[in-house]
Amino acid sequence: MTSVPMTQSSASERTSSEGPFLEVEDLTVTFPTEDGPVTAVSGLTYSVERGKTLGIVGESGSGKSVSSMAVMGLHDAKSAKISGSIRVGGTEVVGLGESRMRALRGNSMAMIFQDALAALHPFYKIGKQLEEAYLVHHSSASKRDARRKAIEMLDRVGIPQPDRRVDDYPHQFSGGMRQRAMIAMGLINDPSLLIADEPTTALDVTVQAQILDLLQDLQREFNSAVIIITHDLGVIAEMADDVLVMYAGRCVEYGTAKQILVAPEMPYTWGLLSSVPDVTASTDARLIPIPGNPPSLLRPPSGCSFHPRCLHSDKVRGDLCRTELPALLPASTGTAHLKRCHLADPVGVYQNEVLPEIAPDLVEETR
Amino acid sequence: MTQDPNAEAQIEPTEVGANAAESGERQLDSDVSDAYGSHERGVDGLDFSSLADLGHTASELDPDAPAVLTVDNLKMYFPVKSSGLVRRTIGHVQAVDGISFEVPQGGSIGLVGESGCGKSTTGRLITRLYKPTGGSMMFEGHDLAKLSNREMKPLRRDVQMIFQDPYTSLNPRHTVGTIVGAPLEVHNIVPKNKVLPRVQELLEVVGLNPEHYNRYPNEFSGGQRQRIGIARALTLNPKMLVADEPVSALDVSIQAQVVNLLQDIQREFDVAFLFIAHDLAIVRHFCPEIAVMYLGKIVEIGDRETIYGRPHHPYTQALLSAVPDVKQAAIGGRRERIRLEGDVPSPINPPSGCRFRTRCQFAQEICAKVEPPLLQIGKRHKVACHFAGELGAHPATPVTTELLGVDDQGSTVPGATPTNTQLTIPGYEKTWYDLGTKQTTGV
Amino acid sequence: MFAYVVKRLISGVLVVTLVSMAIFLLFWYGPSSPAQPICDRETSNRCGNKIELYEKTLGYDNPVYEEYGKYVKGVFVGRTLTIASNDYECSAPCLGVSYRTKQPVKEELVKRIPATFSVAIGGAFLYLLFGVPIGVAAARRRGSITDKALVSSFLFISSIPYYLFALLTWLYLTITFEIPLFSETGYFSPIKDGPWAWFSGLFLAWVALGIFGCTQYTRFTRGAMVEALSEDYIRTAKSKGLPTRTIVYKHGLRAALVPVVTIFGIDFGTLLAGTIFTERIFEIQGIGWWSLQAVQGRDLPVVQATALFSAVVLIISNLLVDIVYSVLDPRVRLS
Ligand SMILES: Nc1ncnc2c1ncn2[C@@H]1O[C@H](COP(=O)(O)OP(=O)(O)OP(=O)(O)O)[C@@H](O)[C@H]1O
Ligand SMILES: Nc1ncnc2c1ncn2[C@@H]1O[C@H](COP(=O)(O)OP(=O)(O)O)[C@@H](O)[C@H]1O
Ligand code: SF4
Ligand code: SF4
Ligand SMILES: [Mg+2]
Ligand SMILES: [Mg+2]
């Protein structure tokens, strides 16, 4: 397999060694709709370094895609109000002019989308779509260079006979190949930041494994910062260094993958863990769903937005859960682990109440 | 027209959730569904431990249950037509090619495999949405495969289907009451004035407010719609339900609600399930017995502990190793896995011999020549592989040669007497072929 | 693809045959004899019992299949027709002789095609020229005041019946304002009468067709474009860093054109088959007006010929639409 020569160093390279490549601070995205403003993301703060992977989890509608599209500057300025700060390789992109934004998009940051069949243009050949992505950021390159580059990238992501398949249309590819082509397109300009929005949700486990392998190999090779959005905690466990759990547009827990999945301190995270069965778990483990449905963002619940569905709010004194939004505070496992919950002793509750039900076999080990 | 259609579509689900919440959906008081419903008050007075007690552990196997459905050598070939002036049949999609299994009464069998391997086709054959090309499906003394559509009608009550997509499987112009009650009227089993009480009873069973019978599907969230689909399937007290990916379209937290509801229903009404899903973890939780399909064939079938703990087929092993594991977080990095290269071959021209051989790391000459039989190798375990063995312990020589009367390369040995008496029985025999001793053994 | 075209042409021939049979039968078993109008005319409305003579010479006393057979034979090898006591030589492909003018139908048809085609091509050119770009512009500004005003006013115009709209255009531009340029409408041969006569004679008809069609095509294009611009692949194009122009035209319009081209193909075929109102109001001697006159005068051979003509034009344009569609959308395979 050929490796991809770096024909042009991206603008970000200079600033790469100092601090995280992507820094999001207090990001809020609001859509004015006919029924009133919908705050899809509020007060989101996170950062990703080069070579690291951030996983974002949450139910659908929790703001995962909206926040990432804000990073890419994909929201229509007329229909979305964005506040806060997003720094990509040191450049502030909130409020950045369209032409400067365009120079970053697809170049030093790229995004791959969930439904590759819908996300690729049905009327243009795969090769043409890849070449277009390359040419727009390499104005001096010729059509021939672009085609060579496209074939090279298809080869790199493991498409067999890339010089022939480059002239296929998206519908002629299988689901897994289309997702590979999307990845090839995202990586064609060697971006320092790659956002993968549910890259494997519609795929079979075997194909998912291939795609995740590929993403990891490429990340190692290009040393890029990766954000992977998913609702599959297994994918998070295997891919992510850091994890951000979102609920109703807010970050409710943030920490390393180990902190979040082994010692979670927020009832929503517990709910996510307890509502999905596990292929290797004990068969005595219970499947405990989160009751109810995700809230409406038009009229979000007061206080902690999870309180209508929370099974532990009775352990919080008074009416706090209903009246006061908990702050995002350090958890007991370390300052890098943040959680948004009023519970006084989350570790105790998790160890004594939750774990015995959802992972009886783990209780002995951790005690 | 003036609004971005995308935006509208996106807001809708959360909106629906909110509406249901506001209208204070009333839930059953004693039923589990209470806590899993969708309103704010439902959680009041419920603490974690009481909800946990209502959540279910994995379903268990009843080894003595008699079979309610016996599928034997079932086949479905879809003709492929040529393009051109005269459309001739130029081949067949062998969507399901000779599968056999039994569904125990009140039990459930899971069907897993990659996209296109024939899972849904199997489900549609059993509910007779398709007429099979060959084979038999014995259900209560009738062979569903041979019945005409008219003869099938009284039996349709007993075998019902739950569909994958709760958004498209319900007619948007009919009220929930009409949808759930329709089967009663079609089959003419209760007097007109008894339809509504029955509908309300069913809505209550699936955890919906019985007063909502005159609402339309679009007033419900995805999880609630799936409940409506389940209520409809339950209307006629079926003996068997075919659930084709019943939770794949739902949000993670809602999936568990629906899985628990299905488990309740199974326990309460003693319904048998054919449970189709590509999520191996959900199947493991729901089904004590699992069949793994590849390209229209069952390659391995057995009880949960065997399939997930000691799979013997290279494909099952690869499939299981591909599932990402939450527990990996404690260790970091990715699990060792068997990489499967390439795509599933076309079911129009499946590979000769073993259909998995094009992607199998253990494939040898015999695999291309002779199709491995689905051989019973344990009390409740059958596998179709010449080199069947636990992961890392696949035998060096084919285990099937003596039974098939061939040599290690798959060529027929003159004068050999193949013993394939065991090969076609849908259920399990009392004795089986032991891989270690190469002898038939039993309990 | 070739097999597909052949198949479509065969079914087209079948349709044409059925259409011709249907019209033949309708006249044959209609409320009055097809010979009635010609008899009335020849005898200055004192037909009376002379009708039988006319029926006999026209062959209406024979069985219907025999006469239809003669008609079909005439199309392929020509025939001699007798009306009253006169014989008319009609060479293949013979479409008969007009009962009104006694002229061979075929020659008349060929003479009128340029007029109808001129109207259709000019009108369609105008409405595409304005409709598509306005539609694209409206889609890009969807939701804005301009967009809303445009959409509602265009909706208003296209809700007016077309004949009324064309009549008003004609009234205002020629009678009320007495604009000399437009006073003489009609079809003039660009070769014989010169291009200017051709242009000014048809101009009003083009404007009427153009404005009316433009309101419709603006709405089609706008709809298709709004849909295309909300597709996932537009988001992908944007995330690649492409300039807005490329996103809108290369990715959006390319996809939006497919439904527009499909509707246009069928529309344009209908126009080519004859625009009855336009030709009647602007006094253009085209096929549409001719067929109207023929129906009024119960002139069977002409009705038959115009109906066959429109069937053939529609079949061909539908086939072309399908072929163009498969070229535009690579996912479509003709079979
Ligand atoms: N009506 C049909 N005509 C022709 N081929 C068909 C038809 N229905 C299914 N097939 C083919 O049969 C095979 C099995 O399809 P099936 O729908 O059973 O797959 P599946 O296992 O349910 O896959 P998935 O996980 O994607 O739902 C596929 O190759 C499919 O293309
Ligand atoms: N253009 C828009 N206008 C109004 N609301 C929107 C728009 N885009 C997204 N939303 C809303 O923002 C919320 C978050 O959406 P999203 O980020 O797509 O969720 P997910 O976490 O599933 O990716 C949803 O409630 C969605 O309805
Ligand atoms: S703050 Fe209260 S309601 Fe929110 S998660 Fe914590 S315990 Fe539950
Ligand atoms: S029979 Fe051969 S090819 Fe098939 S699974 Fe077994 S080893 Fe692999
Ligand atoms: Mg999303
Ligand atoms: Mg299926």
Side-chain angles (χ1 to χ4, degrees):
Chain A
M1 224 160 250
T2 51
S3 73
V4 182
M6 310 202 175
T7 41
Q8 209 184 52
S9 69
S10 42
S12 51
E13 217 111 288
R14 277 165 272 124
T15 49
S16 62
S17 50
E18 313 111 38
F21 183 75
L22 171 68
E23 287 176 285
V24 173
E25 242 181 86
D26 201 23
L27 174 69
T28 298
V29 184
T30 305
F31 299 102
T33 67
E34 281 172 10
D35 305 321
V38 169
T39 305
V41 176
S42 56
L44 197 63
T45 300
Y46 64 82
S47 61
V48 200
E49 281 170 44
R50 294 196 72 162
K52 292 279 190 233
T53 304
L54 171 74
I56 304 184
V57 272
E59 282 167 277
S60 67
S62 57
K64 307 183 296 290
S65 303
V66 168
S67 58
S68 315
M69 282 167 65
V71 172
M72 291 287 295
L74 292 178
H75 290 296
D76 190 351
K78 274 177 287 180
S79 68
K81 300 271 162 292
I82 300 177
S83 67
S85 148
I86 302 169
R87 280 186 304 279
V88 179
T91 313
E92 175 62 53
V93 299
V94 173
L96 194 67
E98 177 61 21
S99 63
R100 292 195 46 210
M101 192 71 217
R102 212 158 56 214
L104 291 176
R105 250 189 240 137
N107 196 14
S108 56
M109 54 180 173
M111 186 157 177
I112 58 180
F113 300 97
Q114 171 174 359
D115 181 357
L117 182 61
L120 291 167
H121 201 294
F123 299 165
Y124 293 112
K125 291 174 178 165
I126 296 278
K128 282 273 167 293
Q129 301 192 41
L130 264 74
E131 287 162 31
E132 190 182 35
Y134 182 74
L135 285 171
V136 69
H137 296 292
H138 295 81
S139 40
S140 57
S142 71
K143 282 237 158 74
R144 283 253 299 292
D145 295 341
R147 186 176 164 89
R148 188 153 13 90
K149 181 78 186 174
I151 294 173
E152 200 176 283
M153 284 310 294
L154 287 180
D155 187 30
R156 184 63 198 81
V157 297
I159 304 258
Q161 298 173 290
D163 47 339
R164 243 193 51 218
R165 303 309 295 257
V166 73
D167 288 323
D168 277 358
Y169 289 97
H171 71 272
Q172 292 166 302
F173 273 27
S174 72
M177 282 162 74
R178 281 195 285 265
Q179 198 54 271
R180 283 165 196 269
M182 273 294 294
I183 294 175
M185 193 157 84
L187 292 175
I188 201 162
N189 293 312
D190 180 22
S192 311
L193 168 67
L194 180 70
I195 303 176
D197 189 352
E198 313 220 8
T200 57
T201 300
L203 304 175
D204 276 319
V205 276
T206 46
V207 184
Q208 163 170 293
Q210 293 172 353
I211 300 287
L212 296 181
D213 282 342
L214 173 67
L215 274 176
Q216 232 164 21
D217 290 353
L218 294 169
Q219 175 179 31
R220 235 169 262 141
E221 187 177 323
F222 295 118
N223 192 34
S224 36
V226 172
I227 297 180
I228 182 160
I229 300 175
T230 173
H231 55 246
D232 186 335
L233 293 172
V235 171
I236 289 287
E238 300 207 354
M239 298 290 289
D241 299 299
D242 292 329
V243 181
L244 173 71
V245 184
M246 285 188 77
Y247 187 76
R250 285 206 178 80
C251 167
V252 293
E253 194 162 7
Y254 184 45
T256 64
K258 191 166 176 178
Q259 287 166 338
I260 300 291
L261 296 176
V262 178
E265 295 197 7
M266 153 81 198
Y268 177 65
T269 316
W270 299 344
L272 284 181
L273 280 165
S274 69
S275 60
V276 288
D278 190 77
V279 260
T280 55
S282 143
T283 44
D284 294 333
R286 289 183 193 276
L287 199 58
I288 307 167
I290 305 173
N293 286 304
S296 153
L297 295 176
L298 264 175
R299 275 158 273 121
S302 60
C304 170
S305 39
F306 187 56
H307 86 254
R309 304 172 74 191
C310 184
L311 296 169
H312 301 276
S313 55
D314 57 331
K315 301 183 187 77
V316 174
R317 150 187 67 77
D319 225 8
L320 221 51
C321 295
R322 229 174 255 271
T323 53
E324 203 169 311
L325 174 70
L328 196 61
L329 295 173
S332 54
T333 49
T335 45
H337 183 179
L338 304 169
K339 50 124 204 234
R340 196 187 280 281
C341 175
H342 289 305
L343 278 180
D345 177 25
V347 181
V349 176
Y350 184 65
Q351 291 293 338
N352 300 325
E353 285 192 38
V354 183
L355 213 52
E357 300 290 353
I358 64 169
D361 47 335
L362 278 186
V363 179
E364 285 76 48
E365 289 175 35
T366 38
R367 273 210 178 130
Chain B
M1 273 303 260
T2 50
Q3 233 195 345
D4 182 353
N6 239 11
E8 269 175 68
Q10 275 178 328
I11 309 173
E12 201 213 23
T14 44
E15 283 268 276
V16 170
N19 290 344
E22 270 160 15
S23 51
E25 187 158 295
R26 197 178 66 80
Q27 308 284 327
L28 277 179
D29 25 37
S30 64
D31 205 294
V32 226
S33 37
D34 189 7
Y36 302 152
S38 58
H39 75 130
E40 306 179 10
R41 288 182 296 140
V43 187
D44 268 355
L46 247 179
D47 57 4
F48 180 74
S49 46
S50 57
L51 181 65
D53 290 342
L54 300 172
H56 290 306
T57 57
S59 306
E60 272 160 40
L61 178 75
D62 174 7
D64 304 319
V68 63
L69 176 79
T70 304
V71 172
D72 193 0
N73 202 18
L74 188 66
K75 286 186 181 157
M76 183 72 217
Y77 291 0
F78 295 104
V80 184
K81 300 274 201 253
S82 65
S83 58
L85 229 44
V86 189
R87 290 166 63 75
R88 284 168 300 118
T89 300
I90 49 169
H92 287 95
V93 178
Q94 305 179 9
V96 168
D97 193 15
I99 62 172
S100 308
F101 59 88
E102 277 181 357
V103 185
Q105 197 172 353
S108 45
I109 185 160
L111 219 49
V112 296
E114 277 168 289
S115 183
C117 69
K119 307 184 294 293
S120 301
T121 306
T122 307
R124 289 165 162 268
L125 285 170
I126 289 168
T127 44
R128 266 299 295 277
L129 295 174
Y130 297 145
K131 194 164 186 348
T133 313
S136 70
M137 305 185 281
M138 295 306 296
F139 179 82
E140 310 231 295
H142 302 276
D143 183 355
L144 301 185
K146 307 241 160 25
L147 298 183
S148 70
N149 280 334
R150 202 162 44 80
E151 291 166 326
M152 209 27 227
K153 196 181 163 195
L155 286 166
R156 280 192 201 277
R157 315 171 38 164
D158 291 333
V159 186
Q160 291 284 323
M161 188 139 178
I162 301 170
F163 294 94
Q164 166 170 6
D165 191 343
Y167 291 91
T168 56
S169 60
L170 303 178
N171 187 333
R173 277 181 293 278
H174 289 171
T175 62
V176 169
T178 318
I179 292 171
V180 176
L184 291 175
E185 287 171 19
V186 171
H187 290 267
N188 241 336
I189 23 189
V190 290
K192 279 259 185 303
N193 59 353
K194 291 277 163 51
V195 170
L196 185 59
R198 173 74 179 140
V199 165
Q200 295 191 319
E201 184 188 329
L202 284 162
L203 290 180
E204 224 166 300
V205 166
V206 297
L208 293 172
N209 186 337
E211 303 302 314
H212 289 176
Y213 67 89
N214 52 5
R215 297 198 172 184
Y216 288 89
N218 65 355
E219 296 174 54
F220 294 89
S221 69
Q224 291 174 319
R225 287 185 207 198
Q226 198 56 300
R227 289 167 191 267
I228 297 169
I230 293 169
R232 172 178 60 185
L234 285 178
T235 310
L236 298 171
N237 283 327
K239 298 202 174 57
M240 177 160 176
L241 279 174
V242 174
D244 191 354
E245 311 258 10
V247 296
S248 323
L250 305 176
D251 224 325
V252 261
S253 70
I254 313 295
Q255 283 190 356
Q257 297 179 4
V258 174
V259 168
N260 275 331
L261 170 64
L262 290 175
Q263 272 179 312
D264 281 333
I265 284 167
Q266 173 160 43
R267 281 171 204 187
E268 193 164 329
F269 302 104
D270 206 30
V271 199
F273 271 85
L274 177 70
F275 192 92
I276 301 172
H278 65 257
D279 183 331
L280 288 142
I282 296 249
V283 172
R284 177 175 181 267
H285 184 85
F286 195 87
C287 307
E289 194 164 16
I290 292 106
V292 183
M293 286 185 75
Y294 186 80
L295 259 184
K297 288 197 179 286
I298 291 181
V299 294
E300 188 162 11
I301 181 168
D303 56 22
R304 174 193 296 134
E305 286 66 35
T306 314
I307 297 290
Y308 285 85
R310 298 175 284 111
H312 277 56
H313 197 282
Y315 178 65
T316 314
Q317 291 160 355
L319 200 61
L320 283 169
S321 86
V323 181
D325 187 358
V326 184
K327 292 209 179 61
Q328 198 64 22
I331 309 154
R334 301 199 61 196
R335 217 147 58 101
E336 271 299 303
R337 59 173 38 102
I338 304 162
R339 288 192 177 212
L340 276 189
E341 301 294 336
D343 289 325
V344 184
S346 153
I348 300 176
N349 275 315
S352 66
C354 173
R355 294 189 170 190
F356 184 56
R357 74 179 160 83
T358 52
R359 303 166 81 197
C360 178
Q361 52 173 332
F362 305 106
Q364 290 186 25
E365 208 179 327
I366 183 175
C367 304
K369 278 193 192 153
V370 193
E371 183 181 331
L374 189 63
L375 191 63
Q376 184 168 346
I377 58 161
K379 191 162 176 232
R380 297 185 78 87
H381 187 199
K382 291 180 181 182
V383 65
C385 171
H386 295 300
F387 297 92
E390 279 192 54
L391 192 55
H394 288 279
T397 52
V399 295
T400 49
T401 43
E402 276 168 51
L403 290 171
L404 296 170
V406 295
D407 64 13
D408 286 0
Q409 278 68 46
S411 312
T412 317
V413 175
T417 43
T419 45
N420 47 4
T421 45
Q422 296 188 301
L423 305 181
T424 50
I425 284 146
Y428 295 100
E429 291 276 10
K430 293 263 177 308
T431 57
W432 61 86
Y433 186 75
D434 188 86
L435 289 181
T437 59
K438 297 210 174 190
Q439 296 283 314
T440 303
T441 49
V443 257
Chain C
M1 168 92 162
F2 175 73
Y4 175 78
V5 172
V6 172
K7 208 155 80 181
R8 285 288 300 265
L9 287 179
I10 291 174
S11 76
V13 169
L14 208 74
V15 170
V16 170
T17 315
L18 288 177
V19 167
S20 71
M21 278 184 189
I23 290 172
F24 214 85
L25 288 177
L26 275 177
F27 270 80
W28 198 276
Y29 293 112
S32 76
S33 163
Q36 191 71 49
I38 193 168
C39 173
D40 284 346
R41 197 170 300 117
E42 300 281 303
T43 59
S44 338
N45 279 337
R46 269 171 305 198
C47 179
N49 51 12
K50 295 208 187 80
I51 180 82
E52 275 171 27
L53 171 73
Y54 281 91
E55 282 193 347
K56 199 172 162 66
T57 58
L58 288 170
Y60 288 125
D61 54 343
N62 294 330
V64 60
Y65 55 84
E66 207 179 301
E67 280 306 301
Y68 182 72
K70 281 188 201 158
Y71 176 81
V72 173
K73 190 171 157 230
V75 172
F76 290 102
V77 297
R79 66 195 272 211
T80 310
L81 284 154
T82 315
I83 297 176
S85 47
N86 304 324
D87 279 358
Y88 298 90
E89 203 54 49
C90 180
S91 64
C94 170
L95 295 174
V97 169
S98 164
Y99 290 172
R100 267 171 359 115
T101 59
K102 310 278 164 47
Q103 297 300 310
V105 172
K106 178 182 61 195
E107 279 162 36
E108 183 88 22
L109 181 71
V110 169
K111 220 167 67 198
R112 285 171 182 264
I113 286 177
T116 289
F117 279 26
S118 298
V119 173
I121 292 169
F125 175 75
L126 279 183
Y127 66 59
L128 282 188
L129 186 70
F130 292 102
V132 172
I134 297 176
V136 171
R140 289 184 64 182
R141 289 168 190 71
R142 69 175 176 284
S144 68
I145 304 289
T146 339
D147 174 44
K148 283 179 181 156
L150 205 70
V151 168
S152 41
S153 60
F154 278 20
L155 191 64
F156 172 73
I157 296 179
S158 48
S159 65
I160 304 172
Y162 173 68
Y163 66 89
L164 197 63
F165 177 82
L167 206 62
L168 289 175
T169 314
W170 177 75
L171 270 174
Y172 275 91
L173 293 181
T174 61
I175 314 273
T176 316
F177 301 130
E178 291 183 19
I179 301 176
L181 180 64
F182 304 133
S183 52
E184 201 173 337
T185 62
Y187 178 75
F188 305 96
S189 161
I191 299 147
K192 225 167 63 212
D193 307 311
W196 174 247
W198 174 76
F199 181 84
S200 66
L202 290 170
F203 190 73
L204 260 192
W206 288 340
V207 168
L209 260 181
I211 294 179
F212 199 79
C214 169
T215 62
Q216 293 180 326
Y217 276 78
T218 299
R219 289 187 305 124
F220 293 152
T221 312
R222 182 187 174 281
M225 196 67 189
V226 165
E227 192 169 314
L229 287 180
S230 67
E231 292 283 352
D232 279 6
Y233 50 74
I234 296 296
R235 189 185 53 192
T236 310
K238 205 170 168 189
S239 78
K240 289 200 273 194
L242 298 177
T244 316
R245 211 169 356 96
T246 318
I247 297 171
V248 171
Y249 294 101
K250 190 169 164 197
H251 290 250
L253 186 59
R254 173 70 174 74
L257 272 186
V258 173
V260 174
V261 166
T262 311
I263 297 175
F264 174 73
I266 293 168
D267 255 12
F268 189 58
T270 318
L271 282 185
L272 288 179
T275 49
I276 297 185
F277 292 126
T278 314
E279 292 175 13
R280 176 71 193 81
I281 290 167
F282 298 101
E283 308 199 301
I284 294 159
Q285 300 287 334
I287 291 165
W289 192 6
W290 189 37
S291 66
L292 186 67
Q293 289 166 334
V295 171
Q296 284 165 347
R298 280 176 291 162
D299 192 349
L300 173 61
V302 177
V303 173
Q304 180 79 283
T306 51
L308 291 186
F309 177 75
S310 28
V312 169
V313 169
L314 285 179
I315 285 162
I316 292 177
S317 61
N318 270 320
L319 179 59
L320 286 180
V321 165
D322 284 354
I323 292 172
V324 169
Y325 191 77
S326 80
V327 170
L328 284 180
D329 187 343
R331 289 169 303 182
V332 176
R333 308 209 52 220
L334 298 181
S335 62

